[in-house]
Each structure stands twice: as C-alpha cells, then as structure tokens.
Amino acid sequence: MRTILNFPRWLYAGIVFIVICVAGLLALRNTDQQREQMIANLKDRADVLIWALEGSARAMGRMGQNHLPELLEEIGDEPDVAYMAILDGQGRILIHSDSAESGNLRRLPPLHEEMDKEPSVSRGTFITDGEKPLYEVWKIFAPKRPGPVFAPGDPRLTRRWLHPTRKWPWDEGRFYIAVGMDASHFEPRLRRYVAQTMMMAALITAAGLAGIALLFFFQNYKRSRRMLEDTQALAEQVISNLPVGLVVTDLHGKISLRNRPAEQILGIPHEQENHPPLQDLTFFDWRSLMDELDSGGLILEKELDAFASKTRNMPVSLSAAKLTDSEGGKSGYLFILRDLDEVRRLRRQVKLNERLSALGNLAAGVAHEIRNPLSSIKGYATYLTEKVKEDKMAHATGMILIQETDRLNRVVSDLLSVAKPLNLRIESASITPLLQQAIRLITPEAEENMVTVELDLPPEQTPQKDRIMLDADRFTQALLNLLVNAVQAAGGAGSGGTVRLTLEKTTEHGGPEFLAVSVSDNGQGIAPRDMENLFTPYFTTKATGTGLGLTIAQRIIEQHGGEIKVYSRQGQGAAFTILLPVTAEPRGSDA
Ligand code: ADP
C-alpha cells in the first residue's frame, strides 16, 4: 500500500495522459464502428432491394412478362430510396425509377472493374447528387436463369419452368443495377453519435482524473496522517521520558496531559485514566499560579513547599508558562515540576558535614574541659543548696544554679553526641514499651507547659509484631528530642496544646516495610523558609535553644538505616515521623 501511494508526481502526469489518450482512442474507434454500422445498414437495405428486384425479374422472366419499369418506379417512391436504375455495360440507363432518365448515359463507377471480377458482390459508395448526399450501391445485374434446365420430354418439366429454348433477356451482354439510397440523415446522425461518444469519453476521462486526484489526495492524507502520528509518538516519548514532571492544562485548569514523573509528584495513580481537575490537587495554590501567568509572568525554577499528602511536605521546583494556540490566543498552561527532596537532602547533608567538622574539632577539646569543672560546680551547688534549706530565697537561687548547671551539662553532652561517633548497641526490642517510657519521661515537662500527650497504637499491636532491631537508649534519646520540641511548640500555643505520639506500619509505593513513629503537635508550625534549615546543627529559633536536638535525632535514626520526615503547615502545627526499616539491617556504629 505504501509503495503504491508513494508514486512520484511525473507518474501521475503520465497516468492522466494515458487516461485521456485511452478515452480519445475509444471514442474514435466507437465513432468508426458506428459509421461502418450505419453504412452496412444502408448497404443491407440496398442489397435487399437489389435482391428483391432480381427475384422479381426472374419471376417475370418465367412468366414472360416485363414489369420492371413499373417496379423500379414503385421502389423509387420509397422514402429512403433516391432512385433505382438498370444500366448496360456502356452506362446507358435501360430502366430508371424516374422514367425521364431512361436512355441517358451515366458514367459507371470506378469500381466496376472490381465488380466484374466478382459479379455476385455489390459495392457501395457515397456521392452527391447536386445538393443531396446519396449512398449508391452497384451490382452486376444478372438474374440467373431460373430453375434447372431439363431435357425436353422430362416428366419433371412442368409449365412452371421456362422452356430451355426460350431466350433469357439478361443472358447476353453486361448489365448493372444501381440503387441510390438517401444519405441526407447519415451525417447529422453520425455527428450526433460522435457528440454523444465525445461526451461519454469526456465523462470517463473526468471520472478517471477524479479517481487519480482522489488517489493523490488520499496519498497526501495518509502521508500527513502518518507524519502526524510519528510526531505525536515522538512527542509522547519525549514527554514520558522527561526526568521532570510535566502537566498541561486548559484555561480552566483541566489537565489534558501528564507524564509519569508528574503522576508521582502529584500523587495521581498511574492507572487512573481520567485526569483529576487541578483544583482538586491541594498540592499548590494553582489558581494564584495561573493568575500570575495571566498577568504576563513566567515562573522559572521557583522553589515551593508543596503538600504532597496530609503528612508530607515536598520541596518542588516549579516552572510554568502560558500556552498559546496557532492563532496566538491563550490555550492553557504548562507546568514543569521537579522533586527537590533529594536536592534538599543533599544540601542539608553538605551543611551538616561542614558544621560537624568544625564542631568536631572544637567539641572534642572544649567539651571535655568544661565537663570536669561543671560536675564540681554542680556538686558544690547541691551541697550549698542543702545547707541553706531554711532560707527560701537562698535555696531557690541554689536550685536555679543546679538546674542551669544541668542544662549546661546537657548542652555539653549534646555537643559530644554530635561530635563523637555513635557506638550503637543494636538489639531486638519491642517498640511499644519504648514509646510508653518516652511518654513517662516527657510528662513532667508537658505538664509544666500545660500540654496533653497522647499515645496512639495500632489496634492489632502484638509483642511479636512490634519487635525491631535498634539501640533502645539512642532511639529513646532521638524520640525525646522530637517530643521536647513538640511539647515546647504546643505549649507556645497556650492552653489546649496537644502532642500525639503514633505508631503504625507503612510501606511506601509497595516497597519495604517501615515502622513509622510520628510526633505531631498543634503548635505554630514551621515557617517555609526554616524548612530547609531543620536538622542543621545550631539552627534554632528559640531564645534558649541549642539547635542540636534535631541534628542528634537525625543522626541516630540514620544510623539505624531510617530517616526522619517532616510535615508542617504554618499555624497548624508540625509532624516529625521517624521511619525505621523493619527488615533492613541497621548501619550500627559510624565510628
Ligand atoms: P532547639 O530545639 O534547641 O531549637 P532543635 O534542633 O531541636 O533545636 O530544633 C531546631 C528548630 O527546629 C527549632 O528551634 C524550631 O524552630 C524548629 N522545630 C523543631 N521542632 C519543631 C516543632 N515541633 N514545631 C515547630 N518548630 C520546630
């Protein structure tokens, strides 16, 4: 099919030429055949008249009569017969349908010699008699002697047969018979037929040309369609293999195209065939993005914290543009999304490493030097505070001294935890008692901050199911760091502060199983600009904060092969989720 359709153009010109030639030749041939047919008809009619006359002549001969002049006159009156005549060998008219012509001389037709060779065959030719066109048929007039010649006395000889001795007038000499057929209708009829044939030929040619044109257009259509399909297939391949998410919408935000990475970023299941409306995806504030594009803006690599799910923020780089149709009118919007989770994690890691290396050098020397005098200070402070038990003012001051020394000691411990390698003691442990213990440890601080702490465990929790390989002390330390932050954040919100500790088993995208321990609060949440700095050593927004709690927690959890995910909406609280792989081997010590 493809090869037929890929004819070069000159071939089409050739086909057109051939169609015209064939139609023309057919028309000519038809015209010739028609002409021959019409002549044959005229001649047949003339032959019949000659045959009838010869027959009559024979009959008259037998009867010894000669009514040929009257007969010719009768025949001459026939509407399509112009004349009929019998001539002798010199061209003298013996009998003529118009008796006035009898005795005149006529020039014999040039074909009379041919007729002499074949006397039984008649010959026809066109002539004009004055204005009138005639078709003249000539034949040698020789009505045969009728019947067999029997010997006299033969019993078969009856009176029906001419006596053999009787003289037959046409036996001696040469005679011709000529019939002139009226051919005045011949040419107009032929012309009409030619006109009809030409019309048919023109119609056939037109049909042929239309067929060829159709073939040509069909070929072009097929080629254009194939090109379109190829281009579409290429575009689809390019779009689906792009390493970034691509979403195209119409003017009302209805998605018309999306690729796989976009589905993953926006959380649209790949099996879902129909596109959800953009407004249903609470990922971004799409309307304001579209308004920004409508007001002539172009969004380039804008870093946004999108809400990938109810428990997860996703840093996304967004580029967007307005789409226009072929006439320059607005046709929709194009959004290009890039997941920055990994980029942010790496950035954070780099920052962390920088700070840790600085911290490591400092902490190792300084922290050790501070710890010894600090324990002396605490010992003396405790001793002196005991001594002034009766003096309330002095006792309170002493207590502050002890608390502040404790705080200082904690800072130093934190500093050492960050700088020192973690030597994990990994054992199989049940996680529920660890969570309950953490709740017990945080309760005094929670009460102080008027915060309620709740523990949510999955209903089907059994001792076998919640066992996991971990360093229980370190895990509790990490969890406490998160709980302390949550209690402080929820406490800042005044009364009604709540912290919820939940445990559940989860799998992400059908991957390995994780234990997810979430600490969520209803505090003020985290400002988007601070999201990137979380887990960075010394990053704190608190007046008395050290900025080490999250760093230490993350370090411990990462050593267990897990990770901490953060979700926060400013003004609506925050959730920190520790994900611990259930099957994976913990990394153990980072020494
Ligand atoms: P610190 O608590 O000493 O500031 P962290 O590393 O524990 O140090 O926390 C760093 C910062 O992260 C905090 O200062 C705070 O701004 C922010 N943060 C941590 N947890 C929360 C939370 N639950 N709610 C709001 N902000 C938080």
Side-chain angles (χ1 to χ4, degrees):
M1 187 73 176
R2 214 169 170 183
T3 35
I4 293 171
L5 290 172
N6 280 340
F7 279 159
R9 287 190 177 197
W10 61 262
L11 205 59
Y12 284 105
I15 293 171
V16 171
F17 178 72
I18 289 169
V19 168
I20 293 174
C21 285
V22 168
L25 281 174
L26 279 177
L28 279 179
R29 198 160 159 266
N30 258 13
T31 310
D32 272 357
Q33 277 176 351
Q34 181 65 16
R35 187 184 159 79
E36 275 167 24
Q37 185 63 44
M38 283 167 72
I39 291 172
N41 283 350
L42 274 177
K43 187 160 176 291
D44 280 353
R45 187 142 165 69
D47 283 343
V48 166
L49 289 175
I50 291 170
W51 172 80
L53 194 80
E54 282 180 336
S56 306
R58 269 197 307 274
M60 287 173 205
R62 264 202 311 274
M63 290 183 280
Q65 295 166 346
N66 183 14
H67 296 300
L68 280 178
E70 291 88 341
L71 198 57
L72 256 60
E73 214 169 306
E74 281 297 319
I75 293 173
D77 286 345
E78 286 292 309
D80 54 344
V81 179
Y83 76 91
M84 193 167 196
I86 298 173
L87 302 90
D88 66 11
Q90 284 74 49
R92 183 178 304 280
I93 298 172
L94 301 177
I95 313 170
H96 198 284
S97 50
D98 179 3
S99 53
E101 291 283 333
S102 299
N104 288 349
L105 262 178
R106 260 222 49 192
R107 224 159 68 88
L108 292 174
L111 37 82
H112 76 99
E113 278 154 19
E114 255 179 72
M115 285 190 295
D116 290 347
K117 285 183 210 141
E118 270 185 87
S120 60
V121 178
S122 59
R123 310 278 158 171
T125 179
F126 280 100
I127 59 155
T128 41
D129 178 20
E131 290 288 285
K132 213 170 170 189
L134 293 181
Y135 182 71
E136 217 168 44
V137 179
W138 286 76
K139 186 182 174 294
I140 287 181
F141 186 64
K144 286 213 185 93
R145 180 180 279 269
V149 178
F150 302 109
D154 190 314
R156 287 171 298 174
L157 191 71
T158 65
R159 70 174 185 85
R160 282 182 63 223
W161 302 105
L162 194 69
H163 197 276
T165 55
R166 186 96 169 257
K167 193 166 181 281
W168 185 244
W170 307 104
D171 273 352
E172 282 166 22
R174 170 126 305 178
F175 302 96
Y176 296 97
I177 179 160
V179 185
M181 302 302 291
D182 182 1
S184 53
H185 302 301
F186 187 88
E187 282 305 325
R189 226 177 261 168
L190 193 65
R191 268 202 298 278
R192 249 197 332 271
Y193 182 80
V194 170
Q196 276 172 6
T197 311
M198 285 308 183
M199 183 80 87
M200 283 301 291
L203 281 176
I204 290 169
T205 310
L209 294 181
I212 289 164
L214 222 68
L215 193 73
F216 183 73
F217 283 123
F218 184 61
Q219 179 199 13
N220 269 1
Y221 166 73
K222 285 279 276 189
R223 194 181 292 153
S224 313
R225 219 176 66 172
R226 194 173 294 274
M227 269 170 65
L228 192 72
E229 280 169 2
D230 287 352
T231 316
Q232 267 176 350
L234 183 71
E236 262 167 36
Q237 275 202 22
V238 170
I239 288 168
S240 58
N241 287 317
L242 274 179
V244 292
L246 187 135
V247 176
V248 176
T249 73
D250 66 7
L251 286 175
H252 311 290
K254 193 170 174 300
I255 299 179
S256 54
L257 193 132
R258 69 183 198 225
N259 66 357
R260 209 63 187 269
E263 287 170 357
Q264 281 164 1
I265 294 172
L266 295 172
I268 307 170
H270 182 58
E271 314 71 58
Q272 186 177 330
E273 281 199 358
N274 57 327
H275 304 293
L278 213 50
Q279 284 78 0
D280 287 3
L281 304 169
T282 52
F283 206 74
F284 294 128
D285 184 357
W286 299 99
R287 194 60 264 165
S288 65
L289 290 173
M290 289 184 204
D291 290 344
E292 190 177 335
L293 293 172
D294 285 342
S295 57
L298 181 77
I299 301 173
L300 263 184
E301 298 279 333
K302 189 174 183 172
E303 286 195 19
L304 295 167
D305 265 300
F307 303 106
S309 70
K310 283 206 173 102
T311 55
R312 200 159 74 89
N313 285 81
M314 184 190 274
V316 170
S317 155
L318 175 94
S319 299
K322 218 163 50 181
L323 296 176
T324 48
D325 59 22
S326 54
E327 279 150 26
K330 247 178 21 174
S331 68
Y333 304 95
L334 166 76
F335 296 97
I336 295 172
L337 310 162
R338 200 153 52 89
D339 184 352
L340 287 185
D341 216 17
E342 188 60 17
V343 175
R344 274 213 185 156
R345 204 183 62 74
L346 289 174
R347 269 194 222 152
R348 221 183 279 139
Q349 194 69 45
V350 170
K351 248 188 213 173
L352 182 75
N353 287 345
E354 278 169 6
R355 295 215 176 169
L356 279 181
S357 69
L359 194 69
N361 297 333
L362 188 77
V366 177
H368 197 72
E369 290 304 314
I370 292 173
R371 258 215 165 147
N372 289 339
L374 211 56
S375 53
S376 306
I377 293 170
K378 191 185 170 188
Y380 287 119
T382 316
Y383 173 74
L384 289 175
T385 310
E386 274 297 308
K387 279 255 169 190
V388 293
K389 235 197 301 197
E390 282 75 36
D391 183 348
K392 280 203 169 152
M393 186 70 180
H395 186 262
T397 315
M399 286 307 286
I400 292 173
L401 201 62
I402 295 168
Q403 276 169 15
E404 288 302 297
T405 318
D406 275 344
R407 206 168 75 82
L408 209 57
N409 198 36
R410 245 193 350 260
V411 171
V412 174
S413 303
D414 285 350
L415 207 65
L416 282 175
S417 311
V418 175
K420 251 187 0 190
L422 293 173
N423 290 316
L424 298 183
R425 282 200 312 276
I426 304 286
E427 283 164 354
S428 170
S430 183
I431 202 149
T432 313
L434 294 181
L435 303 188
Q436 287 159 343
Q437 189 200 349
I439 298 268
R440 268 196 306 277
L441 289 172
I442 199 66
T443 303
E445 194 163 347
E447 281 169 358
E448 208 174 293
N449 285 281
M450 290 186 301
V451 171
T452 321
V453 184
E454 294 168 356
L455 175 63
D456 269 3
L457 293 172
E460 80 285 5
Q461 203 61 25
T462 62
Q464 287 77 22
K465 272 198 173 171
D466 77 341
R467 287 202 85 74
I468 189 162
M469 297 296 290
L470 46 66
D471 181 327
D473 288 344
R474 292 295 189 183
F475 173 74
T476 310
Q477 188 188 354
L479 184 57
L480 271 175
N481 286 359
L482 300 184
L483 281 168
V484 167
N485 280 342
V487 164
Q488 286 172 357
S495 63
T498 312
V499 170
R500 179 166 282 121
L501 180 60
T502 51
L503 171 70
E504 56 184 350
K505 269 200 176 158
T506 133
T507 49
E508 270 203 0
H509 310 304
E513 211 173 21
F514 284 88
L515 267 187
V517 179
S518 294
V519 178
S520 54
D521 64 72
N522 58 355
Q524 77 280 13
I526 303 161
R529 65 174 183 285
D530 293 338
M531 289 293 281
E532 199 175 316
N533 294 316
L534 294 179
F535 304 104
T536 307
Y538 303 127
F539 169 72
T540 180
T541 54
K542 299 171 194 164
T544 55
T546 60
L548 291 173
L550 289 181
T551 313
I552 293 165
Q554 191 187 41
R555 210 160 154 235
I556 292 170
I557 299 305
E558 280 184 350
Q559 292 305 310
H560 281 84
E563 61 176 318
I564 301 180
K565 297 237 171 199
V566 190
Y567 169 79
S568 174
R569 247 182 181 178
Q570 215 178 354
Q572 294 178 23
F576 286 74
T577 304
I578 299 173
L579 289 167
L580 284 176
V582 172
T583 48
E585 279 290 305
R587 277 184 226 159
S589 166
D590 65 347

